[in-house]
Amino acid sequence: MELTTVWFTLIAVLWIGYFTLEGFDFGVGMLLPVLAKDDRERRVLLNTIGPVWDGNEVWLLVAGGATFAAFPEWYATLFSGFYLPLLLILLALIVRGLAFEYRAKRDDDTWRARWDVAIVVGSFVPALLWGVAFANILRGVPIDADMEYVGGFFNLLNPYALVGGLTTLSLFLTHGAMFLALKTDGPVRERAGALAVRLGAVAAVLAVVFLGWTQATTGTLASAVAFVVAAATLLAGLGAALVRREGWAFLGTFAAIAAGVAGLFLALFPDVMPTSLADGVGLTTTNAAATSYTLGIMTVVAVVFTPVVLLYQGWTYWVFRKRIATHHIPEPAAAPEPAPQA
């Protein structure tokens, strides 16, 4: 196997890791005002992802760095052509991270409510725009003979891309609800389990439309197999949720997202960013790749450090595997009594 194919595959794996892991904490963030009835329940939801959300974002950083090093032409065209949506995603992630850190800095309901809005918006924007971005990559964008993006922002807002955005949004909401049903107890668990089934039904319809559309336009036999696996595991997850088998339900949405993303990359290969112009030149794993020497060094680094990162992140999830309920959340500390006047 050529090193360009190896690195295309590794980048696909990194995006699968990002969407399956960050996907559920996007879902938790968006469901904050829906499933939590008071501040203690909101703290339960946030504590389910508190130990892992920043680790989940590492997958995005590594995917971006790997793209920059392995396929610099792809990275340059992607970030210039998709500058505005990627900037909006970056700003949303920054605001979301600040909200997680600053929400508890003051014992004030208004203060916390404002940061809660930031968490919801900071989760919603990437959940929607990542689907829009990936759909446009698959569909093809205006790239000229010099391999430069020559379109505008509104080229990205087409029906296929919007369906892609709604698909990732609904899948992440379902994935987040499944995760909360698995990680919480009491009333939050009941609400999350019931909502997961309803959200999953919507996600299933959107996923069938989007993946079917993708298969009809750019699909291959391999992508068709992956899409069938995605549909089957999503339905299996919904069935498990109906009988309150939360672990299997979460694995179902996890596998569905993983198989769906794998199918998108299989449909894309060997392109990395096709052109929609008749006289344009699309980017492929060959003409967008770095030198063989660079790819060789990167491969050695990846072989050494990837298992270490996977082991560490797996250990983190194992340590924080238990359920959380409101009785685990301490009452806010009482304000100190004012000192008596002399």
Side-chain angles (χ1 to χ4, degrees):
M1 183 182 294
E2 295 183 358
L3 286 179
T4 53
T5 304
V6 170
W7 276 95
F8 180 87
T9 303
L10 181 57
I11 289 170
V13 170
L14 291 170
W15 279 107
I16 290 170
Y18 177 66
F19 282 138
T20 52
L21 297 176
E22 186 87 310
F24 71 73
D25 68 50
F26 282 151
V28 172
M30 289 186 285
L31 292 172
L32 192 63
V34 178
L35 292 178
K37 302 303 182 183
D38 54 36
D39 187 62
R40 292 187 77 180
E41 290 190 347
R42 285 190 286 272
R43 291 167 66 190
V44 167
L45 266 64
L46 294 175
N47 282 345
T48 62
I49 60 174
V52 298
W53 70 267
D54 49 354
N56 294 342
E57 289 189 353
V58 171
W59 290 82
L60 173 62
L61 299 176
V62 178
T67 304
F68 172 77
F71 300 101
E73 290 285 351
W74 183 14
Y75 182 93
T77 304
L78 177 66
F79 277 77
S80 60
F82 290 30
Y83 178 81
L84 183 55
L86 291 177
L87 177 62
L88 291 174
I89 290 172
L90 177 60
L91 290 175
L93 293 176
I94 291 172
V95 169
R96 181 170 173 265
L98 287 172
F100 286 140
E101 297 296 334
Y102 280 89
R103 183 184 187 277
K105 296 298 183 183
R106 287 173 56 183
D107 185 18
D108 180 78
D109 291 339
T110 302
W111 171 269
R112 287 191 291 264
R114 288 171 178 169
W115 286 118
D116 287 346
V117 172
I119 292 172
V120 174
V121 174
S123 301
F124 172 86
V125 171
L128 177 69
L129 292 186
W130 279 129
V132 172
F134 267 81
N136 274 292
I137 292 174
L138 283 156
R139 174 177 177 264
V141 291
I143 301 174
D144 64 15
D146 296 322
M147 294 192 295
E148 294 184 1
Y149 180 82
V150 293
F153 173 72
F154 291 102
N155 290 101
L156 307 178
L157 300 180
N158 53 79
Y160 173 68
L162 293 176
V163 172
L166 292 174
T167 301
T168 53
L169 179 68
S170 60
L171 281 173
F172 291 167
L173 281 166
T174 305
H175 199 34
M178 296 288 194
F179 178 75
L180 288 171
L182 175 65
K183 282 288 294 177
T184 62
D185 212 346
V188 174
R189 177 185 179 186
E190 299 294 330
R191 292 184 214 121
L195 183 61
V197 176
R198 296 196 296 271
L199 290 171
V202 176
V205 173
L206 287 169
V208 167
V209 172
F210 177 63
L211 297 181
W213 195 340
T214 302
Q215 183 63 28
T217 53
T218 62
T220 64
L221 177 59
S223 66
V225 172
F227 292 155
V228 169
V229 172
T233 51
L234 179 57
L235 292 176
L238 294 178
L242 281 171
V243 296
R244 295 179 58 103
R245 298 296 298 271
E246 288 99 344
W248 289 109
F250 178 71
L251 285 176
T253 53
F254 188 101
I257 293 172
V261 176
L264 295 180
F265 275 92
L266 288 168
L268 181 63
F269 184 81
D271 292 324
V272 293
M273 206 165 178
T275 181
S276 61
L277 301 179
D279 57 349
V281 176
L283 303 181
T284 68
T285 55
T286 302
N287 65 15
T291 64
S292 298
Y293 181 73
T294 300
L295 294 176
I297 293 175
M298 290 172 57
T299 302
V300 174
V301 173
V303 168
V304 173
F305 288 102
T306 301
V308 176
V309 174
L310 292 175
L311 286 171
Y312 174 76
Q313 192 158 32
W315 175 80
T316 302
Y317 277 93
W318 176 255
V319 169
F320 296 101
R321 66 189 182 278
K322 293 185 178 179
R323 292 183 182 271
I324 303 173
T326 51
H327 65 267
H328 295 119
I329 305 298
E331 293 285 355
E337 294 292 333
Q341 298 294 322

